[in-house]
Amino acid sequence: MALESAKFVIIGAGLAGMATAYQLALRGESGVIVLEKEQFPGMHSSGRNAAMIRQVVGDRDILKLAKRGAEFFNGRAEGWQSPPPFQRSGSLLVASGKAWQKLLADAEAARKAGVEFQQWDPAQIEKSVPCTKGGKLEGGIFCPGDGVTDTDGLINGYYQAAKARGVSLLTECEVSAVMVENGRLKGVETSRGFIRGGTVVNAGGPWASKVAGLAGALKIEFTPLRRHLYYTGPLEWASQDWPYVWDTANEVYFRPESAGLLLSPCDESPARPAIPIVDPAVEETLAAKLAVSFPALLEVPVARAWAGLRTFAPDRKFVIGWDPIVKGFYWVAGLGGHGVTTSPAVGELAAGELCSGKGKSGSPFLPSRFL
Ligand SMILES: Cc1cc2nc3c(=O)[nH]c(=O)nc-3n(C[C@H](O)[C@H](O)[C@H](O)COP(=O)(O)OP(=O)(O)OC[C@H]3O[C@@H](n4cnc5c(N)ncnc54)[C@H](O)[C@@H]3O)c2cc1C
């Protein structure tokens, strides 16, 4: 006998799964169940990131989702008790050389999409964020609508609004098999029993390839890439009102965090799906990058280090859409380094297609591009 049955079974309670559940609920779909193998939602990538909302990005398709995401963070979320958690402190993307030309082109594309920003010279950058002094920076793009969210609050906000509309979440519930009969989905076998359902959503993050394999769906080789984050502990001189500052030439960033700073050397090394182990050697990479971009930060202490996984499809674009092989199997995966910013828009796109049963033809995110 089935433990439960639902019209939509979502595998994974990270931002991809929870935003999709929330948007399905807003569309009046109460037959939604989210299954999470861990004790709590958001224990993997969605709870181990830098929580920055960034609209000026290189990929023009992701730019549209990022802009829509920023609108959500700057507004009131339907069905939420309070506005989404968001500190509208802005972003300051800086660069030099060829990367500065690329950043200007990305900013221009963002402007055309309706994103507001200001172009700053090195003097203005240093005046606004004094610890950028001495860095190799040619100019900056300040985007006032960007900022920082709180990912626990974000996931909980999606969940509470979805729950109030009848969506359920089962934790410590690992999906071990996806049952398909005559090409149609029947449900999922889990560590807590069988759950009947005609539509299964793959929001498995770093495990997305494995989840697809359980259903015999399209084979897409996702690569989880480990990235480290460092918290300094409280620093008297670090203003908590600064925007986050990201050198896109040298790929290193910092932002205010709990009376100190959070930093990352934007490292990328392939890792297996799991909570990644911290590699002490990456601290040297951080120091080498700070020496070039933000030498004033070279001596900051490291009070805590951790790492998370950014999971990418082979072409680094998101994978959102119906599976071309298994009827009823839907993908919301490969959100890479933009899953926090874009989660509101990703949820909208996925829920719209799930409710209509149709796909958006010509979408750049279709899984069928890997056929
Ligand atoms: C260091 C770092 C910094 C980042 N900074 C930013 C940032 O500043 N801004 C931004 O926009 N993005 C950022 N990101 C990216 C963002 O965190 C991710 O894109 C996003 O969290 C991906 O969410 P997800 O739901 O796809 O994956 P996850 O959060 O990993 O969720 C997948 C879930 O599926 C569950 N699951 C898998 N298999 C099963 C199964 N068989 N049964 C049940 N459950 C299963 C897992 O347990 C997991 O909870 C960053 C990422 C990292 C690592």
Side-chain angles (χ1 to χ4, degrees), residues 285-339:
T285 311
L286 176 66
K289 289 191 172 196
L290 290 176
V292 176
S293 303
F294 311 119
L297 299 181
L298 250 182
E299 300 301 324
V300 293
V302 171
R304 195 181 151 229
W306 69 96
L309 298 177
R310 296 152 65 251
T311 299
F312 293 92
D315 60 2
R316 287 203 162 218
K317 261 198 197 307
F318 297 176
V319 178
I320 305 172
W322 294 102
D323 187 78
I325 296 174
V326 177
K327 203 169 158 39
F329 189 84
Y330 191 90
W331 295 75
V332 191
L335 304 188
H338 301 289

Side-chain angles (χ1 to χ4, degrees), residues 12 15-16 36-37 45-46 49-50 52 175 206 308-309 336-341:
L15 283 163
E36 171 54 53
K37 64 184 170 60
S45 308
S46 299
N49 55 66
M52 300 182 297
V175 174
L309 298 177
H338 301 289
V340 181
T341 305

